[in-house]
Amino acid sequence: MKVAEAVGRALTAAGVDHVFGVVGSGNFHLTNAMVAAGARFVAARHEGGAATMADAYARTSGAVAAVSVHQGPGLTNALTGITEAAKSRTPLLVLAAEATAQNSNFRIDQAMLAHSVGAVTARVTTAHDAVEQARAALQRARHDRRTVLLNLPLEVQSLDVPDGVLLDALPMPAREPVEPSGSAVADLVRALETARRPVFVAGRGARTAVAPDALLALADRHGALLATSAVARGLFHDSPWSLDVSGGFASPLATKLIQGADLIVGWGCALNMWTMRHGSLIGPEATVVQIDDDPTALGAHRAIDLGVTGDVERTARRALEAGGEERQGYRTPELAAALASRRRWRDVPYDDEGTRERIDPRTLSIALDDILPAERVVAVDSGNFMGHPSAYLSVPDHNGFCFTQAFQSIGLGLATAIGAALARPDRLPVATLGDGGALMSAVELDTVRRLGLPMVVVVYNDESYGAEVHHFGPDGFPLDTVTFPETDIAAVARGYGFEAVTVRTPADLKSVADWVAGPRSAPLLVDAKVTRDHGSWWLEEAFRGH
């Protein structure tokens, strides 16, 4: 048996059940070995899409996914998606063939390339150790929550594995939760017991099967309000004390309440400039606490008063075990009434700016929220438009929102939706894109259609790179480089086998409702021609922060 086959079989036996990629000569045998061993291979049309699909699948499923790419250009094509995954600490295994011959057209320093974007690297170096080296790379991805590039030199892949090498070893054990120290828990409990207006902000580290219940119980005891970072949106969806997202997407009421907190506790949350609006959400009298199982994350983005190294669920449970009386905290009857009527962005009055030619993106988003089934998984691309689906489309829980924004690249949203859809086949996948990101990633419309995904792709189409238009336009700079003629994106989608509708007014959304009602014979793209007179509030604030 050759090394390529042995590594593919061993990784599948160790629990990698989904591999995404584009197959070339260098990764052909490895990929086929994984498929033969029972893994599902998802063929993308571009390696960049494959990497982002795998990233989104790993985030939504909680399992390590793999990306399989050809040597050289296969890896460079995937690099933006790999960068996003690495910056997000997604447990992802990138399986890259590697050309080491000095005169090979494909030869590049793949390890250095990976290190430059924040991934870690490993290499299969011998036939004797190939399986163990591959399993060690998977172990690091899973246990350290890192994106790991495993280089597979072509000459090593073709070697014979010695007899007796164990391929079908038992799956690797799960990562052990980090136990917080007793003194740190005692300090946390003291902070909670003295707070009158506590707010919990949960992030990526709280997106587990067990953490939300522990946080809800602790918040109930101390009267805390509940918010999340964007990547954990939906975590507290069913709580009447949820403020939804903290940061640039926060509603006016949520902003006011977070700013009024005397204690802010970040649970597996970086408390970075986006989640805390460059610090403006932290009041002058607020105590800031951060809990994370990675000690290097504590205080990495801002000064904190208390840092607790520990798993989110374990830390919350230990704080509950400390006992104490239930307290009202921030949860007054008056606030309960306000949250019931003004918690959501859609409850905030606005003047509809739609015309006969262009629909207001707020009106579009609210209508879609009403039309689309509640059991959905929403993916959001980057750009001026992104706050509208993020703020106005509700999600059932934290597995209903996939937000690949750590690198802030446009063009990832469609592939994100594909990966999330495969992880949650029980839900309607909704990809929300700007026109720039939609055209940049249009090739993956073929993947949606080929996989038979019942997806809705919504394009907020202002025929421009809106962030640049609204950032530079008011100062009189020319905008010819960032504005474009009208493109019939609906026609592009029909060419890929989609049903498609162009939306200019709310009445045009009847076609979307008809598609939802069924039967659905193909995925649907909504080319929404949105108003473009104003920049988004979240990007205006972000640009001011710079």
Side-chain angles (χ1 to χ4, degrees):
M1 182 183 299
K2 302 299 184 183
V3 164
E5 182 181 353
V7 167
R9 282 182 53 182
L11 290 174
T12 305
V16 178
D17 61 6
H18 274 70
V19 55
F20 300 77
V22 176
V23 171
S25 59
N27 63 327
F28 181 86
H29 295 299
L30 170 72
T31 306
N32 281 339
M34 297 184 76
V35 173
R40 179 178 184 181
F41 176 65
V42 179
R45 284 298 195 176
H46 190 276
E47 289 93 346
T52 300
M53 292 173 203
D55 181 7
Y57 180 86
R59 295 181 194 220
T60 306
S61 69
V64 178
V67 186
S68 177
V69 296
H70 187 270
Q71 61 271 22
L75 180 60
T76 58
N77 279 348
L79 204 59
T80 299
I82 292 170
T83 305
E84 168 64 34
K87 285 181 175 289
S88 298
R89 295 292 294 267
T90 300
L92 185 67
L93 187 61
V94 183
L95 304 171
E98 183 181 30
T100 58
Q102 289 294 326
N103 60 352
S104 172
N105 290 341
F106 296 127
R107 185 178 183 275
I108 56 174
D109 191 334
Q110 296 188 174
M112 183 176 291
L113 197 66
H115 281 298
S116 74
V117 302
V120 297
T121 62
R123 176 177 279 111
V124 171
T125 57
T126 69
H128 180 77
D129 295 327
V131 166
E132 284 309 309
Q133 289 168 336
R135 283 174 59 86
L138 176 59
Q139 181 91 340
R140 186 162 192 194
R142 180 178 289 155
H143 282 214
D144 294 352
R145 291 197 305 270
R146 298 297 297 268
T147 295
V148 178
L149 169 65
L150 178 62
N151 284 308
L152 294 128
L154 296 175
E155 67 275 15
V156 178
Q157 287 193 55
S158 63
L159 296 177
D160 290 314
V161 174
D163 293 338
V165 172
L166 186 62
L167 300 180
D168 299 323
L170 293 174
M172 288 181 240
R175 184 175 188 267
E176 281 297 318
V178 177
E179 188 71 35
S181 71
S183 61
V185 171
D187 290 340
L188 170 62
V189 170
R190 277 192 292 271
L192 290 168
E193 289 178 340
T194 57
R196 293 177 293 114
R197 298 181 306 280
V199 172
F200 288 0
V201 184
R204 182 178 291 107
R207 283 176 51 110
T208 68
V210 292
D213 287 344
L215 291 177
L216 286 166
L218 190 63
D220 287 345
R221 176 173 294 174
H222 294 282
L225 303 183
L226 298 156
T228 71
S229 66
V231 296
R233 183 169 182 240
L235 195 75
F236 305 122
H237 175 266
D238 294 328
S239 172
W241 302 105
S242 170
L243 305 178
D244 202 11
V245 178
S246 173
F249 300 153
S251 70
L253 178 59
T255 299
K256 178 181 177 182
L257 292 171
I258 296 169
Q259 289 174 331
D262 62 356
L263 174 66
I264 294 176
V265 185
W267 296 91
C269 178
L271 300 176
N272 60 25
M273 64 180 183
W274 305 110
T275 306
M276 290 289 106
R277 284 191 178 181
H278 298 275
S280 67
L281 292 184
I282 301 173
E285 299 179 2
T287 297
V288 179
V289 177
Q290 187 181 1
I291 293 97
D292 203 290
D293 63 5
D294 179 1
T296 66
L298 300 176
H301 290 274
R302 65 185 62 261
I304 58 176
D305 299 291
L306 172 63
V308 179
T309 301
D311 172 76
V312 166
E313 189 266 345
R314 288 287 178 93
T315 303
R317 292 290 178 201
R318 298 299 175 261
L320 282 166
E321 290 166 4
E325 299 292 327
E326 278 204 9
R327 302 166 59 246
Q328 176 177 278
Y330 221 153
R331 299 181 176 187
T332 65
E334 296 79 15
L335 184 54
L339 286 172
S341 61
R342 291 187 286 130
R343 173 172 48 184
R344 302 176 301 172
W345 261 111
R346 63 177 294 164
D347 300 323
V348 178
Y350 67 95
D351 294 325
D352 190 310
E353 298 176 352
T355 67
R356 288 182 298 178
E357 296 299 318
R358 293 192 172 272
I359 188 170
D360 190 307
R362 295 164 293 187
T363 301
L364 168 70
S365 303
I366 291 170
L368 289 172
D369 193 40
D370 291 336
I371 291 170
L372 300 177
E375 284 296 312
R376 62 185 73 150
V377 54
V378 177
V380 183
D381 209 334
S382 193
N384 183 68
F385 81 97
M386 63 191 286
H388 291 114
S390 298
Y392 288 89
L393 295 183
S394 61
V395 293
D397 55 31
H398 58 285
N399 288 320
F401 192 68
C402 201
F403 194 70
T404 45
Q405 298 289 338
F407 195 35
Q408 291 184 266
S409 171
I410 68 170
L412 305 187
L414 180 56
T416 297
I418 295 170
L422 293 171
R424 291 305 305 254
D426 56 322
R427 293 181 172 177
L428 177 73
V430 182
T432 57
L433 323 172
D435 53 290
L439 291 171
M440 190 177 289
S441 61
V443 65
E444 300 304 348
L445 293 172
D446 175 75
T447 305
V448 176
R449 187 265 313 160
R450 181 166 30 86
L451 294 176
L453 298 176
M455 185 180 292
V456 178
V457 178
V458 183
V459 182
Y460 289 72
N461 188 354
D462 63 359
E463 282 98 31
S464 68
Y465 291 131
E468 286 65 37
V469 166
H470 297 296
H471 183 49
F472 296 109
D475 294 324
F477 291 104
L479 300 175
D480 293 345
T481 55
V482 291
T483 55
F484 302 91
E486 182 169 332
T487 299
D488 190 349
I489 297 177
V492 173
R494 291 187 191 100
Y496 279 104
F498 274 60
E499 293 185 37
V501 57
T502 299
V503 171
R504 299 183 182 274
T505 70
D508 296 327
L509 289 165
K510 182 180 183 301
S511 297
V512 180
D514 292 342
W515 182 89
V516 170
R520 306 172 193 168
S521 58
L524 175 70
L525 183 136
V526 179
D527 183 6
K529 310 295 187 181
V530 296
T531 55
R532 52 190 181 183
D533 294 337
H534 307 294
S536 60
W537 76 89
W538 55 90
L539 279 183
E540 287 177 1
E541 183 173 84
F543 283 133
R544 285 198 304 271
H546 291 307

